[in-house]
Amino acid sequence: MGTVLIYAEANPDGSLKKATLNAITAGQKVAAAIGAEVHAVALGKDAAALAAAVKDFVKVVHAGSAPQLEHPLAEVVAPAVAGLAEAIGAEYVLGAGTAVGRDVLPRIAARLKAAMASDILSVEGTGADLAFGRPMWAGAVIATVKLSSKVKVLSVRATEFPPAAGGAGGEVKTFAPAAPAVTSSKFVAFKEVKSARPALTEAKVVVAGGRGTKGDFKPIEGLADELGAAVGASRAVCDAGWQPNDLQVGQTGKVVAPALYIAAGISGAIQHVAGMKGSRTIVAVNKDAEAPIFQVADYGLVGDLFKVLPELQAAIKAAR
Ligand SMILES: Cc1cc2nc3c(=O)[nH]c(=O)nc-3n(C[C@H](O)[C@H](O)[C@H](O)COP(=O)(O)OP(=O)(O)OC[C@H]3O[C@@H](n4cnc5c(N)ncnc54)[C@H](O)[C@@H]3O)c2cc1C
């Protein structure tokens, strides 16, 4: 039986990155389509805890511990995953299309001489007809891609697949991870931006502001805090230095799919919409009734965000 291998990504504190569970669901679909088992690879200085966190979701977790794997540098992760994929004869290697996944997976593909489909949205067909939907041109077009190499690599858009359900009761096997012959990058420091708000990619509600805020995010933050939401921003806002880059939503920012996305003072450029159109309910507040954001919004409010958002905040507070 063939194997579909999932790269289990860790958070900086060593816990399992939630997006890995969405990648496992995509892996399960691929495995069902080709008649294969789903395995995972957990890496770290000591990979035992990460392996334990993922084993309930897959048949086998391969735990590779080595000092050089303390931080997920692509240069050290790629040979470890590629070496294991070769050793177990994996047909597919998948991972979440996170910042780390986007760094690591293409290198794994290069090492395995594998074709790669990035940011897949769907798994279609079976056997030799297996194909993948992926966005092109900022999501304006969804391409259907078939890969013809022996081994194939996929990065998965986490928001398009539900998290895998546990209960697989998988087994943990240890292996000695391959190390790169030469390393030209080294980990220096990890500086986390501490915020009392939820993480943008994991929040159930996101309140995002655009250039219409003119840099004043008080109404955005006030409403976000009332709703226990994360704050997001358009690229115009981040490029202007009004908000940090890690709040950017869109093609070149983060892809989010919360239950509720409130876009205020955001025009709805295709590159922004590419990062939030998977949201279950979209609310737009814009003073221009012709703004393109209203084409993707479930609820649209034509008005001044500096008036509408504080009113919304007060109404929600009063309703509690
Ligand atoms: C390769 C590439 C990648 C890109 N990647 C991204 C990306 O990842 N994310 C992203 O966001 N953009 C991205 N962009 C930029 C994108 O094309 C837009 O320029 C950007 O999204 C515009 O941001 P905005 O909507 O905040 O600003 P604007 O387009 O200037 O819109 C501001 C809106 O605010 C409204 N407004 C003004 N005042 C008020 C008020 N008081 N109350 C209510 N509404 C008001 C206006 O009517 C207007 O609709 C990318 C562009 C390129 C070329």
Side-chain angles (χ1 to χ4, degrees):
M1 198 175 222
T3 308
V4 170
L5 181 65
I6 314 287
Y7 169 59
E9 189 182 329
N11 289 311
D13 66 1
S15 60
L16 180 68
K17 181 114 190 157
K18 278 190 188 159
T20 298
L21 299 182
N22 309 77
I24 291 175
T25 301
Q28 288 167 340
K29 287 194 170 190
V30 173
I34 62 166
E37 286 179 349
V38 180
H39 291 201
V41 50
L43 302 173
K45 193 174 167 197
D46 177 357
L50 184 63
V54 79
K55 83 175 173 37
D56 216 23
F57 299 92
V58 294
K59 183 104 179 153
V60 179
V61 189
H62 303 271
S65 304
Q68 76 271 14
L69 290 165
E70 184 174 4
H71 306 290
L73 289 177
E75 253 186 343
V76 291
V77 170
V81 177
L84 175 72
E86 275 172 341
I88 64 171
E91 288 173 53
Y92 278 87
V93 179
L94 278 79
T98 54
V100 169
R102 287 179 194 187
D103 197 16
V104 159
L105 291 160
R107 280 181 185 253
I108 296 171
R111 284 183 171 264
L112 294 171
K113 298 195 172 25
M116 174 165 175
S118 307
D119 220 13
I120 64 158
L121 313 170
S122 62
V123 177
E124 298 157 21
T126 53
D129 286 329
L130 195 59
F132 307 98
R134 65 171 301 266
M136 289 174 70
W137 300 320
V141 172
I142 307 298
T144 305
V145 184
K146 268 191 191 177
L147 306 178
S148 55
S149 54
K150 187 163 166 276
V151 185
K152 302 155 185 78
V153 174
L154 306 170
S155 69
V156 176
R157 183 175 284 196
T159 54
E160 297 297 319
F161 296 88
E171 130 192 48
V172 177
K173 290 183 180 173
T174 54
F175 76 105
V182 191
T183 42
S184 50
S185 60
K186 100 173 170 194
F187 178 86
V188 177
F190 177 77
K191 287 188 189 154
E192 191 174 10
V193 181
K194 293 264 184 229
S195 168
R197 300 194 182 98
L200 186 52
T201 49
E202 286 167 16
K204 290 197 174 68
V205 182
V206 173
V207 184
R211 200 179 342 236
T213 61
K214 297 185 178 65
D216 178 0
F217 256 53
K218 275 192 219 83
I220 307 286
E221 289 169 348
L223 183 58
D225 290 341
E226 192 60 50
L227 292 166
V231 168
S234 71
R235 177 161 162 180
V237 164
C238 300
D239 282 357
W242 294 339
Q243 290 292 322
N245 287 320
D246 62 336
L247 295 192
Q248 185 182 317
V249 173
Q251 184 192 349
T252 42
K254 293 195 169 125
V255 177
V256 299
L260 174 63
Y261 188 90
I262 301 176
I266 294 179
S267 59
I270 184 172
Q271 297 89 354
H272 184 81
V273 171
M276 46 63 87
K277 69 175 173 202
S279 308
R280 204 171 323 139
T281 302
I282 298 171
V283 175
V285 180
N286 197 302
K287 65 180 185 185
D288 174 9
E290 303 296 320
I293 192 75
F294 290 124
Q295 289 165 19
V296 293
D298 299 287
Y299 299 94
L301 246 164
V302 179
D304 186 335
L305 72 91
F306 290 100
K307 188 169 175 294
V308 170
L309 262 47
E311 281 176 5
L312 259 175
Q313 187 187 335
I316 292 165
K317 194 172 189 168
R320 280 188 204 281

